[in-house]
Amino acid sequence: MKRDIREMVIVITGASAGIGKALAEQLSAAGAKLALAARREDRLNQLNAQLGGRHLVIPTDVSRADQCERLIQLAADHFGRLDTLICNAGYGLPRPAAQMSRQEYEAIFQTNLFGTIDCIRPAVPIMGRQDLRDGYRGQIVIVSSAAGRRGLPWFGAYSATKAAQLSLAESLRVELRSMNIAVTSVHPIGTDTDFFTTAEKLSGATIPPRSAVERHQSADTVARAILRGIQHPKPEIWPLRVARILVGMGILMPRLTDWVMSKHRRAMGRANEQRIVP
Ligand SMILES: NC(=O)c1ccc[n+]([C@@H]2O[C@H](COP(=O)([O-])OP(=O)(O)OC[C@H]3O[C@@H](n4cnc5c(N)ncnc54)[C@H](OP(=O)(O)O)[C@@H]3O)[C@@H](O)[C@H]2O)c1
Protein backbone atom coordinates (compact mmCIF):
# COMPACT_ATOMS: atom_id res chain seq x y z
CA MET A 1 0.00 0.00 0.00
CA LYS A 2 1.28 3.46 -0.91
CA ARG A 3 1.20 5.71 2.16
CA ASP A 4 -0.36 9.13 1.73
CA ILE A 5 2.05 12.00 2.37
CA ARG A 6 -0.69 14.65 2.44
CA GLU A 7 -1.09 16.02 6.00
CA MET A 8 1.72 13.72 7.23
CA VAL A 9 3.68 15.43 10.05
CA ILE A 10 7.39 15.22 9.28
CA VAL A 11 10.37 16.55 11.26
CA ILE A 12 13.54 17.13 9.20
CA THR A 13 16.87 17.89 10.87
CA GLY A 14 19.46 19.61 8.68
CA ALA A 15 16.70 21.24 6.61
CA SER A 16 18.65 24.44 5.92
CA ALA A 17 20.75 23.01 3.06
CA GLY A 18 21.49 20.10 0.74
CA ILE A 19 19.55 16.86 1.09
CA GLY A 20 17.36 18.15 3.96
CA LYS A 21 16.32 21.24 2.00
CA ALA A 22 15.57 19.22 -1.15
CA LEU A 23 13.49 16.86 0.98
CA ALA A 24 11.56 19.76 2.52
CA GLU A 25 10.76 21.07 -0.97
CA GLN A 26 9.55 17.71 -2.26
CA LEU A 27 7.60 16.74 0.86
CA SER A 28 5.96 20.17 1.04
CA ALA A 29 4.89 19.85 -2.60
CA ALA A 30 3.39 16.45 -1.71
CA GLY A 31 1.29 18.11 1.04
CA ALA A 32 3.20 17.20 4.23
CA LYS A 33 3.27 19.42 7.32
CA LEU A 34 6.91 20.01 8.20
CA ALA A 35 8.97 20.95 11.22
CA LEU A 36 12.19 22.39 9.79
CA ALA A 37 15.25 22.15 12.05
CA ALA A 38 18.88 23.31 11.75
CA ARG A 39 21.09 25.95 13.37
CA ARG A 40 20.77 28.65 10.67
CA GLU A 41 17.37 30.14 11.43
CA ASP A 42 17.57 32.69 8.59
CA ARG A 43 17.91 29.88 6.03
CA LEU A 44 15.01 27.96 7.55
CA ASN A 45 12.78 31.06 7.49
CA GLN A 46 13.76 31.70 3.87
CA LEU A 47 12.89 28.09 2.98
CA ASN A 48 9.57 28.26 4.83
CA ALA A 49 8.66 31.48 3.01
CA GLN A 50 9.55 29.83 -0.32
CA LEU A 51 7.22 26.94 0.61
CA GLY A 52 4.28 29.26 1.41
CA GLY A 53 5.00 29.84 5.12
CA ARG A 54 2.80 26.98 6.38
CA HIS A 55 5.55 24.99 8.08
CA LEU A 56 7.12 25.24 11.53
CA VAL A 57 10.68 26.55 11.90
CA ILE A 58 12.49 25.30 15.00
CA PRO A 59 16.13 26.47 15.27
CA THR A 60 17.97 23.47 16.67
CA ASP A 61 21.55 22.41 17.33
CA VAL A 62 21.27 18.61 17.31
CA SER A 63 24.57 18.27 19.18
CA ARG A 64 22.57 19.47 22.24
CA ALA A 65 20.29 16.81 23.77
CA ASP A 66 17.98 19.44 25.33
CA GLN A 67 17.46 21.09 21.92
CA CYS A 68 16.64 17.71 20.28
CA GLU A 69 14.03 17.02 22.95
CA ARG A 70 12.57 20.50 22.55
CA LEU A 71 12.37 20.05 18.76
CA ILE A 72 10.37 16.82 19.03
CA GLN A 73 8.07 18.15 21.75
CA LEU A 74 7.37 21.46 19.95
CA ALA A 75 6.63 19.69 16.65
CA ALA A 76 4.29 17.14 18.27
CA ASP A 77 2.50 19.81 20.35
CA HIS A 78 2.05 22.10 17.34
CA PHE A 79 0.77 19.50 14.86
CA GLY A 80 -0.85 17.06 17.30
CA ARG A 81 1.16 14.04 16.09
CA LEU A 82 4.51 13.00 14.65
CA ASP A 83 4.47 10.64 11.68
CA THR A 84 8.02 10.74 10.37
CA LEU A 85 11.32 11.81 11.91
CA ILE A 86 14.14 12.34 9.43
CA CYS A 87 17.53 12.46 11.18
CA ASN A 88 19.58 14.06 8.43
CA ALA A 89 21.79 16.73 10.11
CA GLY A 90 25.48 15.91 9.87
CA TYR A 91 28.94 16.88 8.67
CA GLY A 92 32.30 15.40 7.69
CA LEU A 93 35.84 16.29 8.77
CA PRO A 94 38.47 15.01 6.31
CA ARG A 95 41.70 14.05 8.04
CA PRO A 96 43.72 10.85 8.54
CA ALA A 97 42.02 8.94 11.36
CA ALA A 98 45.08 8.90 13.65
CA GLN A 99 45.56 12.67 13.29
CA MET A 100 42.18 13.73 14.62
CA SER A 101 42.02 14.88 18.22
CA ARG A 102 39.83 13.36 20.91
CA GLN A 103 37.80 16.61 20.93
CA GLU A 104 37.23 16.43 17.16
CA TYR A 105 36.01 12.83 17.51
CA GLU A 106 33.70 13.82 20.34
CA ALA A 107 32.27 16.72 18.36
CA ILE A 108 31.51 14.74 15.21
CA PHE A 109 29.87 11.92 17.21
CA GLN A 110 27.94 14.51 19.21
CA THR A 111 26.27 15.81 16.04
CA ASN A 112 26.06 12.80 13.72
CA LEU A 113 25.31 10.02 16.24
CA PHE A 114 24.04 11.62 19.46
CA GLY A 115 22.10 14.20 17.40
CA THR A 116 20.31 11.21 15.87
CA ILE A 117 19.52 9.19 19.01
CA ASP A 118 18.67 12.31 21.07
CA CYS A 119 15.86 13.05 18.58
CA ILE A 120 14.73 9.42 18.35
CA ARG A 121 14.49 8.87 22.13
CA PRO A 122 11.68 11.42 22.75
CA ALA A 123 10.00 10.63 19.40
CA VAL A 124 9.41 6.91 20.05
CA PRO A 125 6.91 7.24 22.96
CA ILE A 126 4.98 9.94 21.05
CA MET A 127 4.73 7.70 17.96
CA GLY A 128 3.91 4.67 20.12
CA ARG A 129 0.85 6.41 21.61
CA GLN A 130 -0.74 7.54 18.35
CA ASP A 131 -3.19 5.73 16.05
CA LEU A 132 -2.02 3.82 13.01
CA ARG A 133 -1.83 5.81 9.82
CA ASP A 134 -1.67 3.72 6.62
CA GLY A 135 -0.44 0.76 8.70
CA TYR A 136 2.23 2.57 10.75
CA ARG A 137 2.28 4.58 13.96
CA GLY A 138 5.40 6.32 12.77
CA GLN A 139 8.65 6.08 10.84
CA ILE A 140 12.23 6.98 11.71
CA VAL A 141 14.51 7.73 8.77
CA ILE A 142 18.24 7.92 9.51
CA VAL A 143 20.43 9.48 6.81
CA SER A 144 23.64 7.46 7.13
CA SER A 145 25.87 7.05 4.04
CA ALA A 146 27.39 4.43 1.74
CA ALA A 147 30.42 5.10 4.00
CA GLY A 148 28.40 3.56 6.85
CA ARG A 149 29.00 0.15 5.22
CA ARG A 150 32.65 0.68 4.22
CA GLY A 151 34.95 3.27 5.81
CA LEU A 152 36.71 5.80 3.58
CA PRO A 153 40.34 6.91 3.97
CA TRP A 154 40.57 10.50 5.33
CA PHE A 155 36.94 10.14 6.44
CA GLY A 156 37.53 7.56 9.19
CA ALA A 157 35.79 9.44 11.99
CA TYR A 158 32.91 10.44 9.72
CA SER A 159 32.56 6.85 8.45
CA ALA A 160 32.53 5.62 12.07
CA THR A 161 29.59 7.93 12.88
CA LYS A 162 27.73 6.70 9.79
CA ALA A 163 28.40 3.03 10.68
CA ALA A 164 27.13 3.75 14.20
CA GLN A 165 23.95 5.28 12.75
CA LEU A 166 23.46 2.17 10.62
CA SER A 167 23.91 -0.17 13.63
CA LEU A 168 21.39 1.92 15.53
CA ALA A 169 18.91 1.69 12.65
CA GLU A 170 19.32 -2.09 12.45
CA SER A 171 18.68 -2.54 16.17
CA LEU A 172 15.78 -0.09 16.33
CA ARG A 173 14.12 -1.62 13.28
CA VAL A 174 13.64 -4.92 15.05
CA GLU A 175 12.94 -3.41 18.47
CA LEU A 176 10.20 -1.09 17.22
CA ARG A 177 8.51 -3.46 14.76
CA SER A 178 5.91 -4.61 17.29
CA MET A 179 4.96 -0.95 17.84
CA ASN A 180 4.40 -0.53 14.07
CA ILE A 181 7.17 2.06 13.86
CA ALA A 182 9.22 1.63 10.69
CA VAL A 183 12.96 2.36 10.73
CA THR A 184 14.84 3.12 7.53
CA SER A 185 18.50 3.93 6.96
CA VAL A 186 19.60 5.93 3.91
CA HIS A 187 22.92 5.37 2.12
CA PRO A 188 23.79 8.05 -0.44
CA ILE A 189 27.06 8.08 -2.35
CA GLY A 190 28.80 11.45 -3.03
CA THR A 191 26.00 14.03 -3.36
CA ASP A 192 26.24 17.56 -4.75
CA THR A 193 25.56 19.67 -1.64
CA ASP A 194 27.50 22.03 0.67
CA PHE A 195 28.86 18.94 2.46
CA PHE A 196 32.33 19.05 0.87
CA THR A 197 32.86 22.84 1.11
CA THR A 198 31.77 22.76 4.76
CA ALA A 199 34.14 19.83 5.38
CA GLU A 200 37.03 21.78 3.81
CA LYS A 201 36.21 24.87 5.86
CA LEU A 202 36.02 22.93 9.14
CA SER A 203 39.20 20.88 8.60
CA GLY A 204 41.42 23.18 6.53
CA ALA A 205 41.99 20.22 4.18
CA THR A 206 41.52 20.26 0.42
CA ILE A 207 39.24 17.70 -1.20
CA PRO A 208 40.37 17.17 -4.80
CA PRO A 209 37.66 17.64 -7.45
CA ARG A 210 35.91 14.46 -8.56
CA SER A 211 37.13 12.84 -11.75
CA ALA A 212 34.70 12.93 -14.67
CA VAL A 213 34.01 9.19 -14.34
CA GLU A 214 33.35 9.19 -10.59
CA ARG A 215 29.65 8.65 -9.85
CA HIS A 216 27.79 11.23 -7.82
CA GLN A 217 24.19 12.32 -7.50
CA SER A 218 22.05 15.38 -6.86
CA ALA A 219 20.32 16.21 -3.57
CA ASP A 220 17.01 15.98 -5.47
CA THR A 221 17.76 12.38 -6.47
CA VAL A 222 18.46 11.43 -2.84
CA ALA A 223 15.34 13.29 -1.65
CA ARG A 224 13.17 11.52 -4.25
CA ALA A 225 14.44 8.14 -3.06
CA ILE A 226 13.66 9.08 0.57
CA LEU A 227 10.17 10.27 -0.40
CA ARG A 228 9.50 6.89 -2.03
CA GLY A 229 10.86 5.21 1.12
CA ILE A 230 8.25 7.11 3.18
CA GLN A 231 5.46 6.06 0.82
CA HIS A 232 6.70 2.44 0.95
CA PRO A 233 8.76 1.97 4.15
CA LYS A 234 11.71 -0.36 3.71
CA PRO A 235 14.83 -1.21 5.74
CA GLU A 236 17.45 0.56 3.60
CA ILE A 237 17.42 3.18 0.86
CA TRP A 238 20.32 3.28 -1.60
CA PRO A 239 19.55 6.17 -3.98
CA LEU A 240 22.12 4.75 -6.43
CA ARG A 241 21.16 1.07 -6.48
CA VAL A 242 24.39 -0.21 -8.00
CA ALA A 243 26.30 1.29 -5.06
CA ARG A 244 24.60 -1.21 -2.75
CA ILE A 245 25.86 -4.10 -4.85
CA LEU A 246 29.37 -2.69 -5.21
CA VAL A 247 29.67 -1.94 -1.49
CA GLY A 248 28.27 -5.42 -0.68
CA MET A 249 30.88 -7.05 -2.94
CA GLY A 250 33.54 -4.85 -1.38
CA ILE A 251 32.70 -6.22 2.08
CA LEU A 252 33.28 -9.75 0.75
CA MET A 253 36.62 -8.70 -0.79
CA PRO A 254 38.28 -6.34 1.70
CA ARG A 255 41.76 -6.65 0.21
CA LEU A 256 40.56 -5.61 -3.23
CA THR A 257 38.50 -2.79 -1.71
CA ASP A 258 41.55 -1.54 0.22
CA TRP A 259 43.42 -1.39 -3.08
CA VAL A 260 40.61 0.61 -4.73
CA MET A 261 40.40 2.92 -1.71
CA SER A 262 44.13 3.57 -1.68
CA LYS A 263 43.64 5.56 -4.91
CA HIS A 264 41.41 7.90 -2.95
CA ARG A 265 43.94 8.10 -0.12
CA ARG A 266 46.73 9.03 -2.55
CA ALA A 267 44.58 11.75 -4.15
CA MET A 268 43.78 13.24 -0.72
CA GLY A 269 47.46 12.99 0.27
CA ARG A 270 48.60 14.80 -2.90
CA ALA A 271 46.07 17.60 -2.43
CA ASN A 272 47.16 18.12 1.19
CA GLU A 273 50.91 17.37 1.26
CA GLN A 274 51.78 20.90 2.36
CA ARG A 275 49.31 20.84 5.21
CA ILE A 276 49.23 17.44 6.87
CA VAL A 277 51.84 14.72 7.28
CA PRO A 278 50.58 11.66 5.33
N1 LIG B 1 26.78 15.09 0.44
C1 LIG B 1 27.21 13.82 0.45
O1 LIG B 1 28.07 13.41 -0.37
C2 LIG B 1 26.62 12.83 1.45
C3 LIG B 1 26.80 11.46 1.18
C4 LIG B 1 26.28 10.54 2.09
C5 LIG B 1 25.60 10.97 3.22
N2 LIG B 1 25.43 12.29 3.44
C6 LIG B 1 24.73 12.71 4.67
O2 LIG B 1 23.61 13.49 4.34
C7 LIG B 1 23.28 14.35 5.43
C8 LIG B 1 23.02 15.76 4.90
O3 LIG B 1 24.23 16.26 4.33
P1 LIG B 1 24.26 17.19 3.03
O4 LIG B 1 25.03 16.49 2.01
O5 LIG B 1 22.91 17.71 2.70
O6 LIG B 1 25.21 18.36 3.60
P2 LIG B 1 24.99 19.94 3.78
O7 LIG B 1 24.49 20.54 2.51
O8 LIG B 1 26.27 20.42 4.35
O9 LIG B 1 23.83 20.02 4.87
C9 LIG B 1 24.06 19.63 6.19
C10 LIG B 1 22.86 20.02 7.03
O10 LIG B 1 23.08 19.57 8.38
C11 LIG B 1 22.84 20.66 9.26
N3 LIG B 1 23.63 20.53 10.47
C12 LIG B 1 24.97 20.31 10.61
N4 LIG B 1 25.31 20.31 11.91
C13 LIG B 1 24.18 20.53 12.62
C14 LIG B 1 23.87 20.66 14.00
N5 LIG B 1 24.82 20.57 14.96
N6 LIG B 1 22.58 20.88 14.36
C15 LIG B 1 21.62 20.98 13.42
N7 LIG B 1 21.84 20.89 12.11
C16 LIG B 1 23.10 20.67 11.71
C17 LIG B 1 23.20 21.91 8.46
O11 LIG B 1 22.46 23.02 8.96
P3 LIG B 1 23.04 24.24 9.85
O12 LIG B 1 24.47 24.44 9.44
O13 LIG B 1 22.14 25.37 9.49
O14 LIG B 1 22.87 23.80 11.25
C18 LIG B 1 22.65 21.53 7.09
O15 LIG B 1 21.28 21.81 7.01
C19 LIG B 1 24.46 14.26 6.41
O16 LIG B 1 24.10 13.45 7.50
C20 LIG B 1 25.56 13.59 5.60
O17 LIG B 1 26.42 12.82 6.39
C21 LIG B 1 25.93 13.23 2.58
Side-chain angles (χ1 to χ4, degrees):
M1 179 181 53
K2 185 171 165 183
R3 299 175 76 218
D4 194 352
I5 287 183
R6 277 172 306 169
E7 303 294 309
M8 195 183 261
V9 176
I10 304 180
V11 173
I12 309 173
T13 70
S16 62
I19 294 169
K21 179 167 182 272
L23 251 174
E25 289 165 350
Q26 293 186 23
L27 290 169
S28 177
K33 298 176 186 170
L34 306 176
L36 305 168
R39 291 164 302 181
R40 286 170 291 178
E41 188 176 2
D42 55 334
R43 289 226 186 181
L44 295 177
N45 283 328
Q46 226 171 26
L47 175 63
N48 192 24
Q50 173 202 323
L51 301 178
R54 62 194 183 84
H55 303 294
L56 185 63
V57 164
I58 309 178
T60 307
D61 180 347
V62 299
S63 70
R64 300 260 315 268
D66 58 332
Q67 294 196 16
C68 292
E69 203 169 329
R70 177 178 167 272
L71 162 66
I72 300 302
Q73 207 53 60
L74 283 178
D77 288 350
H78 181 83
F79 291 117
R81 63 183 281 134
L82 169 55
D83 292 298
T84 310
L85 166 64
I86 304 177
C87 299
N88 164 73
Y91 71 94
L93 195 75
R95 187 161 307 159
Q99 292 177 27
M100 264 180 72
S101 69
R102 168 81 190 221
Q103 286 75 14
E104 287 169 328
Y105 271 98
E106 281 175 357
I108 198 167
F109 270 86
Q110 198 69 44
T111 294
N112 295 8
L113 178 67
F114 291 108
T116 297
I117 191 58
D118 289 339
C119 289
I120 293 172
R121 200 182 297 105
V124 168
I126 293 171
M127 289 179 175
R129 279 194 297 271
Q130 59 196 22
D131 294 339
L132 291 173
R133 183 195 159 101
D134 292 340
Y136 294 88
R137 276 182 229 287
Q139 182 180 18
I140 293 164
V141 177
I142 300 178
V143 182
S144 169
S145 167
R149 279 268 186 238
R150 164 71 209 205
L152 299 171
W154 278 68
F155 282 88
Y158 171 73
S159 303
T161 66
K162 296 286 140 181
Q165 282 182 309
L166 169 59
S167 294
L168 201 60
E170 289 172 338
S171 302
L172 284 167
R173 193 159 55 238
V174 180
E175 290 167 2
L176 301 182
R177 181 172 295 161
S178 61
M179 292 171 77
N180 290 80
I181 298 174
V183 180
T184 300
S185 59
V186 186
H187 303 273
I189 59 158
T191 307
D192 300 325
T193 65
D194 296 343
F195 179 88
F196 297 99
T197 42
T198 303
E200 286 186 324
K201 223 181 290 167
L202 289 172
S203 66
T206 299
I207 301 173
R210 285 194 197 93
S211 71
V213 291
E214 216 174 316
R215 294 294 296 265
H216 56 104
Q217 58 201 353
S218 70
D220 277 329
T221 301
V222 177
R224 250 191 315 278
I226 297 175
L227 190 146
R228 284 195 299 273
I230 296 172
Q231 289 170 326
H232 301 280
K234 51 182 173 179
E236 292 185 13
I237 296 171
W238 288 75
L240 181 71
R241 288 202 194 132
V242 70
R244 179 182 218 161
I245 297 163
L246 291 175
V247 172
M249 282 164 51
I251 291 166
L252 296 175
M253 292 180 279
R255 203 188 299 269
L256 176 65
T257 312
D258 287 355
W259 179 78
V260 174
M261 291 283 173
S262 58
K263 237 180 71 178
H264 175 67
R265 187 200 69 81
R266 282 195 297 274
M268 286 297 294
R270 273 195 303 274
N272 292 281
E273 60 193 343
Q274 302 303 316
R275 272 166 267 255
I276 295 168
V277 183

